[in-house]
Amino acid sequence: MSRSKKLVSGVGVNDANYETQKFKREGDKYINIWRCPIYDIWTGMLRRCYSETFLKKYPSYMGCQVCEDWKTFSNFKLWVEEQDFIGKCLDKDLLNRGVRVYSPETCVFISKNLNSFLVGTRKKEGRLVGARKVCKKYIACCNDPFLDKVVHLGTYETEVEAHLVWKAYKHKLACHVADSWEISDKRIIEALKSRYAGEGVYEEV
């Protein structure tokens, strides 16, 4: 099957000089049997930013964009091939919290374990992360990747108190992750050590 010239997610240009997908015909249907891994990352990035179906399901991605250069597949592929990307996740939030644009300046590849550690900071609407209400008090708890379990950090009178205890523990874990996991990119190490530092409530932006 020849490559489609249709824009990917309405914006992406697949200008690859090779087949980015392979199909096998079974009856009257074509079954996808292989996808170029870099093409898979590229289409996933575009989908998160421009697919109406995806954005309805995951509204937190609303307003995210891909830089103009990366809307052309070959440009994105050149950048990816210079990265340590195999088996890792494309991340735009670690280096600069709150960034809404995928670009060479904002993105890095991180391990699946590290991605899970960071995603564990997402809060449910109307609740501070790390604080769970039980009766009239709040339990502070944090998922510890080193112990592979949820650690209970005590019971507190207010949600903010419980959250701040969670934040302090999360910062301790982030520093431990930065020092003990195999991370070659110094930018990632620095970002981890500063991620949950400082005073006040932690907000995932």
Side-chain angles (χ1 to χ4, degrees):
M1 294 179 66
S2 61
R3 287 181 286 111
S4 172
K5 299 300 181 182
K6 183 179 178 181
L7 292 176
V8 178
S9 292
V11 298
V13 177
N14 178 10
D15 63 341
N17 59 1
Y18 62 95
E19 296 293 338
T20 53
Q21 303 183 78
K22 291 183 180 179
F23 295 84
K24 177 181 179 181
R25 185 165 184 169
E26 293 186 1
D28 58 351
K29 296 181 179 180
Y30 284 96
I31 307 299
N32 187 280
I33 59 173
W34 177 84
R35 285 167 67 89
C36 167
I38 298 179
Y39 179 77
D40 211 27
I41 298 168
W42 183 67
T43 55
M45 173 182 67
L46 294 173
R47 183 171 60 252
R48 289 192 291 276
C49 294
Y50 303 108
S51 166
E52 291 184 7
T53 301
F54 182 91
L55 291 171
K56 285 180 180 178
K57 189 174 182 179
Y58 302 100
S60 62
Y61 283 92
M62 198 73 69
C64 290
Q65 302 177 40
V66 174
C67 70
E68 288 300 318
D69 202 41
W70 277 8
K71 290 178 182 177
T72 300
F73 174 66
S74 60
N75 294 333
F76 179 74
K77 183 173 182 289
L78 282 173
W79 177 81
V80 171
E81 289 174 333
E82 296 177 347
Q83 315 301 314
D84 177 16
F85 75 94
I86 297 176
K88 296 185 176 181
C89 307
L90 181 67
D91 181 273
K92 66 169 178 53
D93 303 305
L94 178 58
L95 299 185
N96 298 282
R97 288 185 58 215
V99 70
R100 310 296 286 174
V101 179
Y102 287 89
S103 72
E105 295 74 33
T106 60
C107 289
V108 289
F109 281 96
I110 60 177
S111 69
K112 293 179 180 178
N113 286 341
L114 179 53
N115 186 58
S116 296
F117 175 75
L118 296 171
V119 169
T121 65
R122 303 282 166 78
K123 67 177 181 179
K124 293 184 178 180
E125 188 174 354
R127 286 173 50 187
L128 292 175
V129 65
R132 179 163 57 89
K133 189 173 184 180
V134 178
C135 297
K136 294 183 179 181
K137 295 192 176 184
Y138 293 87
I139 295 175
C141 51
C142 185
N143 190 10
D144 189 323
F146 296 97
L147 300 177
D148 194 25
K149 68 177 184 178
V150 175
V151 176
H152 293 273
L153 304 169
T155 303
Y156 301 88
E157 295 294 327
T158 70
E159 183 180 18
V160 172
E161 284 180 288
H163 165 77
L164 292 177
V165 170
W166 165 86
K167 182 174 173 242
Y169 191 80
K170 191 79 172 180
H171 175 62
K172 178 182 176 181
L173 288 177
C175 291
H176 195 17
V177 167
D179 290 333
S180 61
W181 288 8
E182 293 183 2
I183 302 173
S184 58
D185 193 325
K186 291 183 179 179
R187 298 174 303 162
I188 295 177
I189 293 173
E190 291 173 1
L192 274 171
K193 290 187 175 182
S194 63
R195 180 83 169 188
Y196 308 99
E199 299 179 356
V201 169
Y202 176 86
E203 291 287 349
E204 185 68 49
V205 293

